[in-house]
Amino acid sequence: MSRRVLLVDDDAAVRDALAQTLELADLDPVTASSFVAAKDLITPEFDGVILSDLRMPGRDGFHLLAYARAQDADLPVILLTGEGDIPTAMKAVGQGAFDFLEKPCAPTDLLAVLERALKTRGLVLDNRRLRALIATGDPAARMLFGTSHLAEGLRKRVRRVAVTETEVLVTGAPGTGISKVAEVIHLCSARSKAPFVKRAAAGLDANLLTEALEKARTGSLFIDEITQLPAQAQLTLLEALEAGPQTRVIAGSNRDLAASVAAGQLNSELYYRLEVTPVRIPSLSERPEDIPVLFQHYVAQASEQAGLNAPEITPQVVANLMAQDWPGNARALMSEAMRFALGLSEEARSDASLGLAEQMAQVEQSLLEQALRRAEGRAVLAAEALKLPRKTFYDKLTRYGIRTEDYRVP
C-alpha cells in the first residue's frame, strides 16, 4: 500500500510542520504551496491521498477538490479548516471530500484519517488493477502473481516464449509451480484453444508417450520431471520433435539437468533441444516481497472454496510469514494459507495485544533480516537491496538488535 500524501498549504511553517509529522509516522509527504503547484500530481494514477488547506489565495481547497474529483472521483481529499470554517468544511464533505480536520489538529487524529484514506485508496487501485487484468484476458497476469521485478520478469519471459512455438523447458525449485507455468505458456500461445495435456514422465513408456502426443495434437503436451522419462521414450520424443510434430512439448524439472545428463539419466540431445527456450521460476527466497501478495491471494481463494469470510491478514501475520525461508515455495505457502483461512494456523495467528506500530515494526525487522540473509551478512548489499541509505540501515539494525555477523556464511 502506498504511503504518499500530497500536502497542499500556502503557509510554509504549517506545511513544514505537517510534513515532519507525516515523516515521523513513516508516511511519504509530497509538498506543494498551491493548487497550481500540485495540479500535475493530481491524476487517476496517483496512488496516494491529498491533504489540503481549505483557505488559500487564488485557487482554494474547493477548487482543488472539484479538480481532483474531475480527474478521479475515488481520489481521497482531506481538507484542513480554520475554527470558523466548520460549516463550510461540512459542505465540502457533501461535495465529495473524504473528511475534514480543524486546525490545529492532534497528530493522532490526523494520522488516523490519513491511514483510513490510504487504505481506501489502496483498495480502489487494487480493484482497478484486477478489472484491468480480467479485461485484457492476459493469462500471465491473471495466473502468475507477484509484484517484484522477478515476478514481472517471469511473466514477460512466459509471454515471449509462448509465441515462439518452440519446445520449452520449465525449471524451478520444488513447489514453485512448474506445471502451472507450463499451462500459462500454453494459454498465452496461439494454441490456447487446443488441448493442454499433462503427463508425469515416470512410467511414460514409448507407447504411452505416442498416445499423449496424439491426444495433445495441435495443442501442448506437458511432461513433468523430464529426467524420469524412460530411455526409450526419450528417444521416441526426440524423434517426434525432429519430425516436426503438430504437438508442442513443454518439459518440466526441479533437478540439476546438467548433472542428469552427465549421469546418463537424460539424453543429451533431448536436453539441448529443450534447453533452447528455458523458463526458470524464481523461488520465494529470491523474491520475499511477493510473499504477502501470494498469501493474500491464496487466503482469498481458500476462503471462497470453504464458504468462509477471509480473515484479516495483519502486519504481524505478514512478519511471521516473511521470517520463514519457505523451502517448499508457493506450494507450502498455499498450504499455510488454507490453514489460516480455516483458523487452524498457529504460526501465523495474529496477536491482538500488539498495536499497529508494533506490528509494523515486526514487518520491518523481518525485511531487514531477510535482506541480510540473502546478502549473506554483507550490510552494504542488504542496504542497497532495500534502497536504504547506509546510516539509516545501520540505525535500524541497532534498533532491533540485529547483528550482521549472524548472517555471514562461514
Side-chain angles (χ1 to χ4, degrees), residues 346-403:
E346 293 296 330
E347 198 161 355
R349 192 178 300 279
S350 174
D351 184 353
S353 66
L354 293 179
L356 177 63
E358 294 168 300
Q359 294 180 49
M360 293 303 294
Q362 287 192 343
V363 174
E364 184 175 59
Q365 182 175 348
S366 293
L367 288 170
L368 293 167
E369 292 171 345
Q370 186 71 248
L372 279 171
R373 190 175 294 112
R374 284 188 292 161
E376 299 180 346
R378 289 171 289 185
V380 173
L381 293 180
E384 289 176 354
L386 293 174
K387 295 180 174 59
L388 286 175
R390 292 184 190 179
K391 183 180 184 306
T392 302
F393 181 76
Y394 281 112
D395 287 345
K396 290 181 182 293
L397 295 186
T398 302
R399 182 191 308 169
Y400 297 114
I402 300 173
R403 303 188 314 163

Side-chain angles (χ1 to χ4, degrees), residues 295 311-321 324 336-354 359 362:
F295 189 72
E312 180 186 6
I313 303 173
T314 65
Q316 185 197 356
V317 171
V318 174
N320 290 343
L321 294 171
Q324 301 178 52
E336 177 62 24
M338 176 66 78
R339 290 189 291 270
F340 182 80
L342 297 176
L344 302 176
S345 172
E346 293 296 330
E347 198 161 355
R349 192 178 300 279
S350 174
D351 184 353
S353 66
L354 293 179
Q359 294 180 49
Q362 287 192 343

